């Protein structure tokens, strides 16, 4: 008996995205298997955030398809993509600095009407991040950079997503906080979520990823398992010196 292959969490085919006239993403093909960490590596301006914006419907592609668990979401408005179970932890984290930690977390559950459910999710996030529980009443803008990174991941989890898109979580963090954040991302996978991790920190990202892609100039230039990418001559030349 043939096993039925599970649907990938994200499947992107023949994707082209432009802001003005010139394409920023050209014929991008990516599969993020469910329950795994798939990374997207690339240097500044490669098109990583644009890919996330395309998935979320913030900058809709002009060609290609984006399937989330088999359903095409290309061109759907953002709230409808989110309703399919996609959450995003944006570049630069984007706290509401004048709101408390808990108020920021609650914003992640804005699609959930039941207060009891929101409290259950808060308790879950606080068990992952005891630091946030201690500081739930503190204004988010006064938290350290590493603590704000925890707030942003916690806020993403508050929507009970099936897929988490994370845009450069290690940016601006000290090595200790990078390690802590990546440990939490592995923990997220252990809970069965799919992670699509956009990063420039090649070493540590490949250490926690199952597979990945390298983009340059808006095109996928390498792909494979994390081990294959670590051993890929071009990737080594570009990133491992
Ligand atoms: N709103 C915009 N309007 C026009 N061009 C844009 C816009 N946003 C990004 N671009 C251009 O698209 C290209 C890809 O940008 P993108 O932000 O996707 O890169 P990135 O890989 O996320 O880079 P970084 O690592 O610096 O965040 C760049 O050349 C950038 O200048
Ligand atoms: Mg970016």
């Amino acid at each position: 008996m043939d096993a039925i292959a599970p649907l990938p969490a994200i499947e992107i085919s023949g994707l082209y995205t432009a802001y003005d006239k010139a394409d920023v993403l050209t014929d991008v093909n990516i599969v993020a298997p469910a329950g795994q960490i798939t990374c997207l590596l690339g240097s500044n301006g490669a098109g990583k955030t644009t890919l996330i914006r395309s998935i979320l419907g913030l900058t809709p592609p002009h060609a290609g398809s984006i399937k989330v668990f088999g359903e095409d979401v290309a061109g759907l408005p953002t709230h409808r993509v989110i309703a399919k179970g996609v959450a995003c932890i944006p570049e630069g984290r984007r706290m509401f600095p004048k709101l408390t930690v808990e108020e920021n977390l609650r914003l992640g559950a804005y699609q959930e009407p039941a207060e009891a459910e929101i409290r259950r999710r808060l308790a879950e996030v606080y068990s992952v991040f005891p630091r946030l529980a201690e500081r739930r009443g503190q204004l988010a803008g006064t938290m350290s950079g590493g603590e704000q990174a925890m707030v942003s991941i916690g806020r993403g989890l508050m929507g009970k997503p099936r897929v988490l898109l994370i845009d450069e979580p290690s940016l601006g963090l000290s090595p200790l906080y990078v390690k802590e954040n990546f440990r939490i991302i592995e923990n997220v996978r252990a809970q069965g979520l799919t992670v699509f991790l956009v990063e420039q920190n090649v070493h540590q990202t490949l250490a926690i990823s199952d597979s990945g892609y390298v983009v340059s100039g808006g095109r996928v230039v390498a792909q494979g398992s994390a081990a294959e990418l670590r051993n890929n001559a071009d990737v080594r030349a570009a990133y491992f010196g």
Side-chain angles (χ1 to χ4, degrees):
M1 197 171 66
D2 286 339
I4 297 169
L7 282 173
I10 301 177
E11 187 169 13
I12 295 173
S13 312
L15 192 82
Y16 289 77
T17 302
Y19 289 102
D20 313 308
K21 293 193 188 89
D23 283 327
V24 169
L25 297 177
T26 305
D27 194 21
V28 170
N29 298 284
I30 283 176
V31 175
Q36 297 190 4
I37 300 176
T38 302
C39 65
L40 182 69
L41 302 167
S43 46
N44 292 119
K48 305 182 299 299
T49 299
T50 303
L51 183 68
I52 287 189
R53 293 182 59 86
S54 300
I55 297 170
L56 291 172
L58 294 167
T59 306
H62 63 82
S65 75
I66 302 171
K67 289 185 180 160
V68 174
F69 292 104
E71 281 186 86
D72 201 345
V73 302
L76 287 187
T78 304
H79 70 275
R80 292 200 42 207
V81 180
I82 290 170
K84 305 277 184 213
V86 179
C88 177
I89 296 163
E91 203 172 12
R93 308 191 242 289
R94 312 252 180 83
M95 299 289 98
F96 290 86
K98 296 284 166 67
L99 298 182
T100 65
V101 167
E102 183 152 314
E103 287 164 342
N104 270 279
L105 291 176
R106 281 173 171 275
L107 288 173
Y110 75 98
Q111 290 191 329
E112 174 54 52
E115 174 65 16
E117 172 61 19
I118 293 172
R119 287 188 188 211
R120 217 182 49 70
R121 294 182 192 179
L122 276 171
E124 256 177 53
V125 169
Y126 288 146
S127 76
V128 179
F129 301 103
R131 177 79 61 95
L132 298 186
E134 288 162 22
R135 292 167 180 264
R136 64 183 77 187
Q138 185 171 329
L139 295 185
T142 65
M143 300 282 276
S144 77
E147 290 167 346
Q148 289 190 19
M150 295 176 188
V151 176
S152 70
I153 295 175
R155 189 178 54 190
L157 295 174
M158 284 294 290
K160 270 274 164 212
R162 297 203 286 169
V163 185
L164 207 49
L165 314 175
I166 314 182
D167 196 350
E168 293 203 48
S170 75
L171 199 69
L173 297 186
S174 69
L176 198 66
Y177 271 117
V178 174
K179 216 172 148 200
E180 170 73 359
N181 264 277
F182 278 31
R183 194 187 57 73
I184 286 157
I185 292 167
E186 285 187 289
N187 200 291
V188 164
R189 171 181 58 192
Q191 291 170 26
L193 270 77
T194 305
V195 178
F196 187 64
L197 178 57
V198 165
E199 263 294 346
Q200 295 194 50
N201 185 331
V202 173
H203 276 283
Q204 277 169 296
T205 301
L206 287 178
I208 65 165
S209 296
D210 297 285
S211 63
Y213 294 80
V214 179
V215 280
S216 175
R219 292 173 186 270
V220 173
V221 294
Q223 68 185 78
S225 69
E228 283 164 354
L229 287 177
R230 266 195 300 272
N231 294 321
N232 177 303
D234 295 336
V235 176
R236 292 184 74 86
Y239 296 101
F240 292 85

